[in-house]
Amino acid sequence: MSADPGFFTVVDAQRACREFSDAPVPDALIDRVLDAATHAPSAENRQPWEFVVVRDPQRRARIGDLMRRAWEQHGREHSVGRLSPELFTAVDRGATGSISAAPVLVVAAADTTRCLPVTVPSSIFPALQNLLLAAGAVGLGSALTTIATAFADELRTVVGLPEAVIPVAVVPLGVPARPLGPPRREPFAAHTHRDHYGTPWTTP
Amino acid sequence: MSADPGFFTVVDAQRACREFSDAPVPDALIDRVLDAATHAPSAENRQPWEFVVVRDPQRRARIGDLMRRAWEQHGREHSVGRLSPELFTAVDRGATGSISAAPVLVVAAADTTRCLPVTVPSSIFPALQNLLLAAGAVGLGSALTTIATAFADELRTVVGLPEAVIPVAVVPLGVPARPLGPPRREPFAAHTHRDHYGTPWTTP
């Protein structure tokens, strides 16, 4: 992988990774992806993000336990009829152990002493998207997961977040267990309108 | 600009643009940035985004009016003490006319018939971040603005969004009126922790 691969090459190849090899993830790669994360915009440029990079096996296991419990108590039954069988199997495996088996889990949070609570999503998800893209750019797999925040207080305890710091997502980082397939997306033009909803962007 | 500029070059240069030249923005560039947007992840891969690309001057003026009213009624007084004088001036100009003067305004929305309402932020803001980055990659300026959603029903009326389609943001696209300066961000390590909040990522 080049030191600075093509922007659209990276964007067009993005796909969630939920199974990882044991290959180590050097700090230098984590530096690069978190530096990219913090170049995202945020409301009022307040940059309210906090990242806890978890390598400690015990803490990763506890986060994995939260994911599994949230999935078994709330997610699985809801999702079984909504996801394709293939995606369901991948998500089920991910939530019950393969995601938390990644060598690194990044707990991403928002410090509400530095931003208005209403701006947390618009200030944190762009940074998370940068983090995911940058992971792909340096050859790592990653995924945006929020299920562990169903037990926000317990997640907060595992990584010691103060009361005002709200956990938003857990992103696994690692070398993919196998090559990721191409992303599956509908054509953008199917959801794009010209000046008014319902007027197709493209003339057929 | 190369057809596929370096990923980190694009990410590291991102900065909000709030003043635009009159130079036209071809449909082909809009195709490229929206195609990039729709490569972002979304909860359950539901891709609930809808984009209305507004070139019509009357509709842009009406959206600009919503921005100005939201800013004057709710934003300005709140922000004057929070933003740096330089940022305040840029945001004030943006909200009172320079943003809606962009040749293109993209109204980004979420179709809640295709996703759970609670997943709207995690499903739309990553796509918006792709859109902003891709704009930079093709030489356009852009910015993530949400202020017009303070008048969500009126915004919905301007572009004809059905009841279930929730407007999330308005993104101006255009050639920057002048070169954008470098982004201003705190070092990522100032907000990164090792295994536990409060344990610095880097050893000083």
Side-chain angles (χ1 to χ4, degrees):
Chain A
M1 180 82 57
S2 129
D4 198 6
F7 171 79
F8 288 107
T9 304
V10 170
V11 165
D12 293 348
Q14 184 180 9
R15 184 157 177 186
C17 177
R18 298 183 185 86
E19 292 197 56
F20 301 88
S21 82
D22 293 332
V25 175
D27 274 6
L29 292 190
I30 295 173
D31 288 349
R32 197 67 194 92
V33 303
L34 291 181
D35 184 62
T38 60
H39 277 75
S42 56
E44 299 182 321
N45 194 25
R46 296 223 150 226
Q47 309 167 52
W49 38 69
E50 296 289 336
F51 301 102
V52 184
V53 180
V54 182
R55 291 187 186 274
D56 172 45
Q58 288 194 318
R59 287 199 174 87
R60 284 190 288 124
R62 289 170 68 190
I63 294 169
D65 188 54
L66 295 180
M67 287 183 173
R68 186 184 50 70
R69 282 166 48 208
W71 175 244
E72 290 177 351
Q73 290 178 25
H74 308 296
R76 184 185 274 148
E77 190 177 0
H78 168 77
S79 293
V80 66
R82 291 171 60 88
L83 305 186
S84 68
E86 187 191 348
L87 182 55
F88 178 83
T89 301
V91 170
D92 188 60
R93 267 193 210 148
T96 56
S98 74
I99 285 177
S100 60
V104 174
L105 296 179
V106 178
V107 178
D111 185 342
T112 58
T113 67
R114 300 210 304 278
C115 71
L116 301 173
V118 70
T119 64
V120 167
S122 64
S123 296
I124 298 296
F125 286 114
L128 284 168
Q129 174 61 0
N130 269 15
L131 195 165
L132 300 172
L133 288 171
V138 300
L140 296 176
S142 69
L144 180 53
T145 84
T146 57
I147 193 167
T149 64
F151 296 110
D153 285 343
E154 293 180 60
L155 179 57
R156 192 194 300 276
T157 300
V158 174
V159 294
L161 299 181
E163 182 90 10
V165 180
I166 299 172
V168 176
V170 175
V171 176
L173 290 175
V175 174
R178 63 190 75 86
L180 303 170
R184 287 165 299 187
R185 296 290 187 275
E186 296 177 31
F188 78 90
H191 299 293
T192 302
H193 314 260
R194 192 177 290 271
D195 283 319
H196 194 271
Y197 186 93
T199 305
W201 171 244
T202 45
T203 319
Chain B
M1 179 84 60
S2 127
D4 198 4
F7 171 78
F8 287 107
T9 304
V10 171
V11 165
D12 293 349
Q14 185 179 10
R15 182 154 180 189
C17 178
R18 298 184 185 86
E19 291 197 55
F20 302 88
S21 81
D22 293 332
V25 176
D27 274 6
L29 293 190
I30 295 173
D31 288 352
R32 197 66 194 92
V33 302
L34 291 181
D35 183 62
T38 60
H39 278 76
S42 56
E44 300 181 320
N45 194 26
R46 296 223 150 226
Q47 309 167 53
W49 38 69
E50 296 289 336
F51 301 101
V52 184
V53 180
V54 182
R55 291 187 185 274
D56 172 44
Q58 287 194 317
R59 287 198 174 87
R60 284 190 287 123
R62 288 170 68 191
I63 294 169
D65 188 54
L66 295 179
M67 287 182 172
R68 187 184 50 72
R69 281 166 48 208
W71 175 245
E72 290 177 350
Q73 289 178 27
H74 308 297
R76 183 185 276 148
E77 190 177 0
H78 168 76
S79 293
V80 67
R82 291 170 62 88
L83 305 185
S84 68
E86 188 191 349
L87 182 55
F88 179 82
T89 301
V91 170
D92 188 60
R93 267 192 210 149
T96 56
S98 73
I99 286 176
S100 60
V104 174
L105 297 179
V106 178
V107 178
D111 184 343
T112 57
T113 66
R114 300 210 304 279
C115 71
L116 301 172
V118 71
T119 65
V120 166
S122 64
S123 296
I124 298 296
F125 286 114
L128 284 168
Q129 174 61 359
N130 270 15
L131 196 166
L132 301 173
L133 288 171
V138 300
L140 295 176
S142 69
L144 180 53
T145 84
T146 58
I147 192 167
T149 65
F151 296 110
D153 285 343
E154 293 180 59
L155 180 57
R156 193 193 299 277
T157 300
V158 174
V159 293
L161 299 181
E163 183 88 13
V165 180
I166 298 172
V168 175
V170 175
V171 175
L173 291 175
V175 174
R178 64 191 73 87
L180 303 170
R184 287 164 298 186
R185 296 290 187 275
E186 295 176 31
F188 78 91
H191 300 292
T192 302
H193 314 260
R194 193 177 290 272
D195 283 319
H196 194 272
Y197 186 93
T199 305
W201 171 245
T202 45
T203 318

